[in-house]
Amino acid sequence: MSANHMETTLNNGVRMPLLGFGVFQTPPDETREAVAEALRVGYRLIDTAAAYGNEREVGEAIADSGVDRGEVFIETKVWISDFGYDETLHAFDKSAGKLRVEMIDLFILHQALPSAFEKTTEAYRALEALLADGKVRAIGVSNFMPDHLERLMETADIAPAVNQVEVHPYFAQPDVQAADADRGILTQAWSPIGGITAYRDTGTGSVFEDPTITRIAEAHGKSAAQVMLRWHLQAGRSAIPKSVKAHRIAENFDVFDFTLTADQTAALDALDTGVRGGPEPEAVTLEAFGRDIPEA
Ligand code: NDP
């Protein structure tokens, strides 16, 4: 396996690996081993969130890995229940405490709260303060639609470095990607190999079984997941596939030894169904999605 890393430079000059490792729905008792395996294989970007309930185990795996802290790019997300200036400053202490780090590389607002947008902007103001204090190296957002970005930038001083949104061949959100690019924001794909089309009934069928993708995969002697990851990387997108299985953790990192042709990329681009797998960002409310995030 190639140990190559594709890196990108964020809009504030910070370097970040494009390919990372996700842990959404990874049970806490499996997180340590999954993250340890990912670090062994060569991943140097780990994505977690306060709401995933496994930051502590992510932190343990990193601390015990033998990999220098400075070589691992850690990103985590503030849940909407902790939005507000003071609340979000405290959310940093909770996450950093569980992760056992002084500094978080990328700190992200997990969702916009469209029905209480002032809470979103206050939370973002706290991110800007954490950045100024050197407690985080970059700040970002997740599931922000173009109008959320526009509303955010009416009060924000610093553009987010990253917008982490659902992107896979069946739901590519070209409008969001264009809005991100216009503002110099890196699009980071969640469910990058379309896991959500397999673990949730989105009505589109599983992207892993898409005949266009499996045909391209066969042509390269690669898997469908590897083709999708290559599609992201060649477009300059960050991608954070999740697995708890060692062979898939390795498979999803073994994507640096082949190149999709322009025709193959266009064929993947053409698979977009416009069907969202995740929650409708405009409909996220504290009432429906709020939950307590425990102290460190
Ligand atoms: P992914 O696209 O990463 O797919 C993960 C699913 O696919 C799992 O069920 C996994 O099962 C399976 N899988 C992994 N590798 C392969 C493979 N090579 N071949 C076949 N199946 C495979 O989906 P996720 O939704 O987990 O997204 C990835 C990450 O993005 C999350 O872990 C999280 O960090 C982030 N995320 C962020 C969200 C947000 O709102 N900001 C929302 C959702 C995700 P198994 O583990 O058994 O291998």
Side-chain angles (χ1 to χ4, degrees), residues 2-52:
S2 162
N4 272 340
H5 286 266
M6 280 172 81
E7 282 203 336
T8 192
T9 304
L10 301 175
N11 59 13
N12 66 350
V14 168
R15 302 277 293 165
M16 187 190 93
L18 274 184
L19 182 60
F21 185 68
V23 294
F24 173 48
Q25 301 183 111
T26 303
D29 62 351
E30 292 178 53
T31 300
R32 242 182 101 102
E33 188 43 38
V35 172
E37 186 60 26
L39 292 169
R40 269 196 290 276
V41 164
Y43 293 81
R44 290 294 180 267
L45 160 60
I46 311 290
D47 176 76
T48 184
Y52 298 169

Side-chain angles (χ1 to χ4, degrees), residues 21-26 47-49 52 75 77 79 108-111 142-143 164-168 189-196 198-199 208 223-226 229 240-245 247-249 251-252 278-279:
F21 185 68
V23 294
F24 173 48
Q25 301 183 111
T26 303
D47 176 76
T48 184
Y52 298 169
E75 48 182 66
K77 315 183 195 83
W79 190 240
I108 292 176
L109 299 186
H110 205 141
Q111 303 270 352
S142 174
N143 300 307
Q164 183 185 115
V165 293
E166 182 179 351
V167 183
H168 49 74
W190 69 249
S191 245
I193 53 176
I196 199 162
Y199 64 69
F208 293 113
S223 69
Q226 289 171 322
L229 291 169
I240 45 170
K242 169 264 179 189
S243 179
V244 293
K245 299 187 172 65
H247 70 280
R248 287 176 171 172
I249 293 172
E251 175 185 323
N252 296 342

Side-chain angles (χ1 to χ4, degrees), residues 178-226:
D180 289 348
D182 281 350
R183 297 182 188 275
I185 300 170
L186 176 72
T187 300
Q188 183 172 60
W190 69 249
S191 245
I193 53 176
I196 199 162
T197 67
Y199 64 69
R200 245 176 236 157
D201 184 10
T202 56
T204 59
S206 164
V207 80
F208 293 113
E209 283 150 27
D210 183 275
T212 300
I213 301 177
T214 52
R215 222 175 5 243
I216 295 170
E218 272 167 35
H220 288 282
K222 288 283 177 180
S223 69
Q226 289 171 322

